[in-house]
C-alpha cells in the first residue's frame, strides 16, 4: 500500500511539473520515451541477456510513424498502435535468430544488426532522407487538428498515462510464469530444458515484448522531437538505454523510468551550468553505480524493506 501511494504521488508530481516549469514538458516526455525503451532492455536483463542494439527498434518505430504519416495516416492513436506493431514485428524477425545465442554473442549480434539498421537509415536517401532524416508532422487527436503546443501537452499526458498502464502490464507479465521463467533462464537454463519448458519460445516472447516497448518509446520520441534521424539507431543510443536500465535498477518496472528521468534531468541541469556537462554527468553516474549497486530504485526498495 505504501508503494502504491508513493507511486501515485510521483506520477501526480510529474503531471504538475510542466505547469510550474513549462520547459520541463519536452524533457519529461523524452525521458518517458526512453524509459519505455529502457524497460524493454530491463526485461531481457531479467534473463541475463544484454542487448546493445535496442535503439534499432526505437528507430524502426519512429521511422514507421514518419512513413505512415507520409502515406496519409494522421491519427495519433492509430499511429502509435501501428508503430508499436512495427517494432514488435521487427523484434520477432530479428529475435527468432538472436535468442539462440547467449552472453557476449547475444550482445554483439544485437549491436551488429542495429548498426546495419543505422547504415540503411543513413544511406537510403531517397527513402529515409539520409542523415537529414524525416519530418514527423503533428497528428490529429480523435480527428481534431491541434496547434503544436497543444499537441505536445496532449502527448506528455498521454505518455504519462501509458507509463502507468504499460508499467502495470509489464509488472503483471514479470510476475507471471513466463516472467519467472526469464529469471530461471538466467540461473539454470538447462534445468528448464530438462523440465520440457521451451526456452527458445520464452525468450522470443520476451524479445518481442522488449522490442515493442522500445518501439513505443521511439514513436513518442518521434512525435516529441518532430523529426526522425538515423542517430536514433546508433550504437551509442543503445548503450544509453542499457545505462538507463542499470542506473534505475532492474529490480522492478519503475527502475527504467526513474533512471530515464534522473539522467534527462541531470543532463538538462548540467548543460545550464557548464559546457563540460559530460564531466558532471559522468561523475554523478560513477557515484550512483559505486554506492547504489541495485540502482536508484533499489535504494527505495531497500529503505522500504528496512522499515518493515
Amino acid at each position: 500500500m505504501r508503494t502504491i501511494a508513493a507511486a501515485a504521488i510521483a506520477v501526480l508530481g510529474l503531471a504538475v511539473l510542466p505547469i510550474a516549469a513549462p520547459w520541463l514538458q519536452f524533457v519529461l516526455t523524452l525521458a518517458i520515451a526512453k524509459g519505455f525503451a529502457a524497460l524493454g532492455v530491463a526485461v531481457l536483463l531479467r534473463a541475463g541477456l544484454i542487448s546493445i542494439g535496442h535503439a534499432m527498434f526505437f528507430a524502426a518505430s519512429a521511422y514507421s510513424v514518419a512513413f505512415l504519416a507520409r502515406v496519409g495516416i494522421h491519427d495519433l492513436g492509430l499511429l502509435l498502435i501501428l508503430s508499436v506493431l512495427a517494432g514488435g514485428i521487427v523484434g520477432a524477425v530479428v529475435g527468432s535468430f538472436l535468442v539462440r545465442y547467449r552472453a557476449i554473442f547475444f550482445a554483439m549480434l544485437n549491436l551488429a544488426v542495429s548498426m546495419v539498421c543505422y547504415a540503411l537509415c543513413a544511406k537510403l536517401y531517397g527513402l529515409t532522407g539520409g542523415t537529414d532524416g524525416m519530418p514527423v508532422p503533428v497528428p490529429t487527436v480523435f480527428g481534431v487538428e491541434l496547434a503544436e503546443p497543444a499537441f505536445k501537452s496532449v502527448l506528455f499526458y498521454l505518455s504519462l498515462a501509458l507509463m502507468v498502464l504499460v508499467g502495470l502490464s509489464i509488472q503483471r507479465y514479470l510476475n507471471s510464469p513466463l516472467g519467472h521463467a526469464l529469471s530461471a533462464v538466467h540461473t539454470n537454463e538447462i534445468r528448464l530444458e530438462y523440465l520440457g519448458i521451451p526456452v527458445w519460445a520464452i525468450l522470443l516472447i520476451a524479445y518481442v515484448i522488449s522490442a515493442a516497448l522500445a518501439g513505443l518509446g521511439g514513436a513518442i520520441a518521434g512525435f516529441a522531437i518532430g523529426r526522425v534521424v538515423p542517430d536514433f539507431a546508433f550504437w551509442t543510443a543503445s548503450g544509453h538505454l542499457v545505462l538507463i536500465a542499470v542506473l534505475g535498477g532492474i529490480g522492478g518496472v519503475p527502475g527504467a523510468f526513474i533512471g530515464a528521468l534522473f539522467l534527462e534531468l541531470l543532463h538538462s541541469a548540467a548543460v545550464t551550468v557548464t559546457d563540460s556537462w559530460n564531466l558532471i554527468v559522468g561523475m554523478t553516474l560513477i557515484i550512483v553505480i559505486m554506492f547504489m549497486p541495485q540502482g536508484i530504485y533499489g535504494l527505495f526498495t531497500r529503505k522500504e524493506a528496512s522499515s518493515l
Side-chain angles (χ1 to χ4, degrees), residues 256-270:
F257 297 103
I258 291 173
L261 290 165
F262 174 80
L263 205 56
E264 286 300 315
L265 291 173
L266 176 63
H267 175 259
S268 299

Side-chain angles (χ1 to χ4, degrees), residues 53-75:
H54 253 52
M56 164 176 51
F57 308 116
F58 193 84
S61 187
Y63 271 103
S64 295
V65 169
F67 283 124
L68 291 169
R70 179 184 288 181
V71 299
I73 299 176
H74 298 294
D75 181 72

Side-chain angles (χ1 to χ4, degrees), residues 71-303:
V71 299
I73 299 176
H74 298 294
D75 181 72
L76 174 62
L78 186 58
L79 285 171
L80 277 175
I81 292 171
L82 292 177
S83 60
V84 171
L85 283 175
I89 290 171
V90 175
V93 174
V94 174
S96 61
F97 297 98
L98 297 190
V99 296
R100 302 175 187 274
Y101 300 90
R102 302 290 182 271
I104 189 64
F105 303 104
F106 179 85
M108 296 309 295
L109 284 171
N110 271 277
L111 174 61
V113 175
S114 71
M115 289 308 294
V116 171
C117 176
Y118 166 77
L120 291 173
C121 293
K123 299 300 182 183
L124 297 177
Y125 293 96
L127 187 63
T128 65
T131 53
D132 292 332
M134 297 178 67
V136 178
V138 175
T140 60
V141 180
F142 297 114
V144 178
E145 295 184 4
L146 300 175
E148 187 171 352
F151 169 71
K152 293 299 173 67
S153 295
V154 170
L155 180 65
F156 168 68
Y157 288 107
L158 175 62
S159 302
L160 198 60
L162 286 173
M163 181 182 74
V164 175
L165 296 175
V166 173
L168 290 173
S169 299
I170 296 301
Q171 188 64 55
R172 190 178 182 87
Y173 160 69
L174 293 176
N175 290 331
S176 71
L178 279 175
H180 289 301
L182 289 177
S183 300
V185 169
H186 181 38
T187 55
N188 200 328
E189 180 179 342
I190 296 177
R191 181 176 295 177
L192 283 180
E193 292 178 345
Y194 278 141
L195 292 173
I197 298 174
V199 173
W200 180 84
I202 290 170
L203 291 180
L204 181 60
I205 292 171
Y207 198 93
V208 172
I209 291 173
S210 178
L213 286 169
L216 177 58
I220 292 172
F223 286 127
I225 297 171
R227 195 165 198 86
V228 185
V229 293
D231 284 350
F232 276 32
F234 199 53
W235 71 269
T236 53
S238 294
H240 188 69
L241 297 178
V242 175
L243 176 61
I244 290 173
V246 174
L247 179 65
I250 62 172
V253 169
F257 297 103
I258 291 173
L261 290 165
F262 174 80
L263 205 56
E264 286 300 315
L265 291 173
L266 176 63
H267 175 259
S268 299
V271 167
T272 60
V273 173
T274 175
D275 291 336
S276 303
W277 58 268
N278 276 320
L279 180 62
I280 297 176
V281 173
M283 289 178 62
T284 305
L285 292 178
I286 290 172
I287 292 171
V288 171
I289 291 171
M290 286 183 64
F291 296 99
M292 301 179 191
Q294 300 300 319
I296 301 173
Y297 181 63
L299 179 65
F300 294 116
T301 54
R302 188 162 62 247
K303 283 183 177 180

